[in-house]
Amino acid sequence: MRRSIAAAVAALAVVAPAAITPAANASAGTWNLIGTNQVASSPTSGGGYPIPAGSRVPDAGTCRSGPFNSNHSESWLAVKPGTENLVGSSKFFFDKFSTFYMFYLGAHQILNGIPSGNNQIQGYDCLSTGTQNMPPSWTDTTDPNLDFDTEGRVYQVMLPFNAFWDASRLHPDGEIDVSFSDDMGNHWVKGNRGQALEPPNNASARQAGHVEDKQWIAVNHIVGSPNQDHVYAAWAVFNGSSNGAGTKVRLAVSRDRGETFAKAVTISPPSQVGAAATFVYPSIDAVGDLYVAVVSFPPNGGPSTIFVTRSTDDARTFMPFVAVATPSMIPTSGLPNTRFRDGINESFVASPTHAGHLYLVYEDWDTTLGQMDIKFTQSSDAGSTWSAPVGVNDNVDAAGVLTDQLQPVRAGRSRSSSTTAGRRAPTTQASWRPTSGGRTSALMSRSRPTTTAAAAPCPSGRTGASPSLRGIPSSRGSTSAGCRSTRAPGRAIRARTGAASSATTSVSPSRPRTSIAFSSRRTIRRT
């Protein structure tokens, strides 16, 4: 998630720690940043689909072994409870170049602050499944999100889908799964006894209705809770357009550590949140209650509303949604003066140490200045009432020279911390999370720009589909306007900004390449 209570702490720390200076009102905490960056991604291989000459869509039955040696994006981190060991997740673009929209989720192992390996998440390609059949082989998996249980199992809600642009003839469209790993993300097993939580209906990949997206996970790791280690998977199903044509939020619960899941249910009644709700974030508080935040989009294109609901009975029932904030939305998908599209505009977390304490940060479009600001609000009574939203970015812009603050992420421990991306430093997409030991760790994508880079054509062709489906134009987080995804997500932090920094292995001189870097530091500003 991307949460920002001050400035672009994680983003700036990645590039120039010494350049960070406290704001005039920074007395609430410390700004000391101690850490070094390491490249956490390395070339690996796995199954994927080549693109035939003259096409942008792969052919069924052509999955093969190939390299993952180009871009990575949309990073997320999860910390194994009681340790300094982390699992990261990001998108691994297939083959040597990211010319096409072909990628799979992969895992990064980071043990005691040292990156130790990375690999494709198994179960969604022809090599790991041993078949060309669709499914279980898919052309893409997307949207990283991770969480651990108390026994060291890490989970991820998976969104496998088939290429849906141009003249695609692929079937089916997509599905929602949960996969888990017991060895820090090296090997993954499909949960729910291998069955999808939101199954495919064998419709064309080009269908406009029943399109799954925006999935997220939360695991109850409150020791002693009656629902300890229960797993909550949530996602949105788009039926037509996000602008009022019907988008529902679905949720499924596992009470046996991911082995099986109860039948998914819709938790977003239109009478409470309107006809189109998405951008779902589940989170668990200190007594094991489940909270869910969503954003509702009105059919007339007016201001959206962020809602939060609560369940005290293990997601069997939910209290009425409470309206928290009504942020203004950017009138176009593209962020000014950047090559990024806007993405999910809120991040939400419940405190694991203070019952009923909730924290929400979100983007709010300044219609006068034409730029994005970051707002923060909190609740200390289980979401019944919320504090007046306050701005958290401290930029002072020169006349005619605007900055952008976007994609906030919030993390909750004994005190809450948050960060955001700010376009006052080179491009960085970061995911961070403080651990029980006090160390703050970041996983980020870093890219090298080239003067000859030509933007890859954006996949298109899903007539009537939501403008934010599966990263087109925006996934969970911003996506490059050139359709090279640079998003970040999960239950930690991600941040991303404007132009670019470094890369590692050799690439085509005509295309930028993004690698995943890891940083560990001891203290951040807290509020």
Side-chain angles (χ1 to χ4, degrees):
M1 305 179 174
R2 308 164 284 256
R3 304 309 170 235
S4 129
I5 204 60
V9 176
L12 293 178
V14 168
V15 181
I20 298 179
T21 56
N25 60 352
S27 59
T30 176
W31 283 77
N32 298 323
L33 300 181
I34 303 171
T36 57
N37 300 332
Q38 305 172 63
V39 175
S41 58
S42 59
T44 186
S45 61
Y49 286 81
I51 303 297
S55 176
R56 295 192 301 163
V57 180
D59 293 328
T62 62
C63 176
R64 60 165 172 78
S65 176
F68 289 102
N69 188 20
S70 55
N71 282 334
H72 298 73
S73 68
E74 303 187 12
S75 57
W76 198 250
L77 278 177
V79 183
K80 184 177 180 179
T83 76
E84 292 288 357
N85 297 330
L86 302 94
V87 173
S89 182
S90 70
K91 287 159 62 171
F92 290 35
F93 278 74
F94 184 66
D95 219 332
K96 294 183 293 184
F97 311 117
S98 300
T99 307
F100 303 100
Y101 200 69
M102 310 305 300
F103 44 76
Y104 293 86
L105 293 185
H108 304 266
Q109 295 79 41
I110 304 167
L111 308 180
N112 291 313
I114 301 175
S116 62
N118 57 194
N119 52 271
Q120 182 180 18
I121 292 176
Q122 303 91 354
Y124 303 91
D125 66 282
C126 62
L127 296 188
S128 63
T129 63
T131 179
Q132 292 280 352
N133 293 339
M134 290 182 157
S137 183
W138 301 84
T139 66
D140 296 76
T141 59
T142 191
D143 291 358
N145 60 100
L146 299 166
D147 205 3
F148 274 94
D149 68 15
T150 62
E151 297 186 38
R153 175 173 288 181
V154 63
Y155 303 82
Q156 181 155 218
V157 185
M158 301 290 295
L159 171 55
F161 68 93
N162 282 323
F164 56 83
W165 47 91
D166 295 355
S168 173
R169 299 185 210 175
L170 298 176
H171 291 76
D173 177 49
E175 67 183 30
I176 295 291
D177 298 285
V178 167
S179 289
F180 59 79
S181 170
D182 290 321
D183 62 359
M184 297 298 292
N186 285 283
H187 301 91
W188 294 79
V189 175
K190 189 180 291 187
N192 199 35
R193 296 176 178 167
Q195 300 301 306
L197 305 188
E198 186 79 41
N201 54 13
N202 202 33
S204 165
R206 292 170 54 82
Q207 70 174 352
H210 199 86
V211 177
E212 307 91 342
D213 204 358
K214 306 297 179 288
Q215 79 278 12
W216 212 247
I217 196 151
V219 181
N220 185 330
H221 32 72
I222 306 300
V223 176
S225 166
N227 305 323
Q228 180 178 333
D229 294 333
H230 289 192
V231 183
Y232 307 91
W235 62 95
V237 177
F238 292 78
N239 289 300
S241 167
S242 64
N243 293 322
T247 305
K248 57 188 177 182
V249 174
R250 305 268 286 162
L251 186 140
V253 184
S254 173
R255 300 177 174 95
D256 55 8
R257 302 185 64 223
E259 298 294 340
T260 63
F261 279 78
K263 184 179 179 180
V265 296
T266 299
I267 64 168
S268 55
S271 60
Q272 296 182 32
V273 299
T278 181
F279 298 167
V280 54
Y281 279 105
S283 192
I284 313 294
D285 79 350
V287 295
D289 287 348
L290 171 67
Y291 296 82
V292 180
V294 301
V295 180
S296 175
F297 291 86
N300 60 6
S304 296
T305 302
I306 301 174
F307 291 92
V308 173
T309 187
R310 174 190 182 199
S311 173
T312 61
D313 59 2
D314 199 26
R316 290 178 172 87
T317 63
F318 285 87
M319 296 180 180
F321 277 86
V322 174
V324 179
T326 54
S328 295
M329 306 299 288
I330 188 170
T332 61
S333 62
L335 292 161
N337 307 314
T338 74
R339 293 191 49 167
F340 295 96
R341 295 181 178 89
D342 190 33
I344 289 179
N345 60 311
E346 103 277 21
S347 183
F348 168 77
V349 70
S351 171
T353 54
H354 289 73
H357 284 230
L358 315 174
Y359 309 100
L360 176 76
V361 288
Y362 59 92
E363 298 175 331
D364 191 19
W365 179 252
D366 187 322
T367 57
T368 301
L369 294 179
Q371 69 176 29
M372 201 73 79
D373 290 320
I374 303 299
K375 301 290 181 65
F376 166 78
T377 179
Q378 63 181 330
S379 172
S380 58
D381 58 6
S384 296
T385 61
W386 291 78
S387 64
V390 296
V392 298
N393 51 288
D394 58 1
N395 56 295
V396 178
D397 299 334
V401 183
L402 300 179
T403 59
D404 298 297
Q405 298 70 230
L406 53 128
Q407 298 190 347
V409 182
R410 171 155 294 284
R413 288 295 184 270
S414 58
R415 289 186 286 176
S416 65
S417 303
S418 58
T419 191
T420 187
R423 197 167 50 82
R424 288 170 278 177
T427 295
T428 303
Q429 169 187 314
S431 172
W432 70 269
R433 184 165 190 165
T435 76
S436 57
R439 174 180 293 167
T440 298
S441 301
L443 190 69
M444 66 217 71
S445 63
R446 302 171 59 180
S447 59
R448 174 195 300 156
T450 60
T451 56
T452 58
C458 292
S460 60
R462 190 188 292 276
T463 305
S466 162
S468 59
L469 288 178
R470 297 177 187 163
I472 303 174
S474 62
S475 185
R476 184 179 290 272
S478 289
T479 303
S480 160
C483 282
R484 291 187 175 84
S485 177
T486 52
R487 153 201 138 168
R491 191 149 278 68
I493 286 191
R494 13 172 211 193
R496 124 185 59 263
T497 60
S501 50
S502 65
T504 50
T505 58
S506 61
V507 295
S508 164
S510 63
R511 296 183 177 90
R513 179 185 179 276
T514 304
S515 60
I516 291 292
F518 172 75
S519 179
S520 176
R521 60 185 66 87
R522 283 293 175 184
T523 55
I524 58 173
R525 184 185 178 190
R526 293 180 175 179
T527 59

